[in-house]
Amino acid sequence: DDIVYLRGLQLDAMIGVHDWERGICQELVLDLELAKDNRVAASSDELSDAVDYQAVAGSVRALASASAYRLVESLAEAIAAHVLDEYAVDRLFLRLAKPGALPGGTEVGVEIERVSTRGQDLPS
């Protein structure tokens, strides 16, 4: 598969398990790799045939800012499900980091890979 990627996308979210985290927004950093055959888009040169990375970024930012998850893992799963549901990608790799969350470290986070189930329950 071909890959369209977004790296270092800054998200603001209320996230965390500690009481002091429940009333503030924190900055998270997202990397996304979206697998899709890009030959149609390359041939047509039309955005409608491509992964619109600006639309992906905007919708992911909106999802994160409206969320109130306690765990980075939960937000990562929600983002993955959203992207797979809304955009025609075959699979994705997601890295979600929470900078400064660990004293003496630069960041903590999760990495997940998910595959689309689109069309898998259709008869062949």
Side-chain angles (χ1 to χ4, degrees), residues 32-104:
L32 269 178
E33 293 182 7
L34 309 172
K36 177 182 175 144
D37 186 336
N38 288 323
R39 288 176 285 193
V40 172
S43 177
S44 72
D45 202 27
E46 294 294 331
L47 181 58
S48 60
D49 293 326
V51 175
D52 184 344
Y53 52 81
Q54 285 187 320
V56 172
S59 68
V60 167
R61 280 188 172 126
L63 187 155
S65 69
S67 72
Y69 291 107
R70 295 168 46 87
L71 300 177
V72 174
E73 292 86 344
S74 300
L75 180 56
E77 286 292 340
I79 291 170
H82 168 75
V83 171
L84 288 173
D85 285 345
E86 295 296 319
Y87 302 95
V89 298
D90 300 322
R91 65 180 167 78
L92 65 77
F93 173 80
L94 179 154
R95 180 179 182 275
L96 186 60
K98 188 174 176 184
L102 187 63

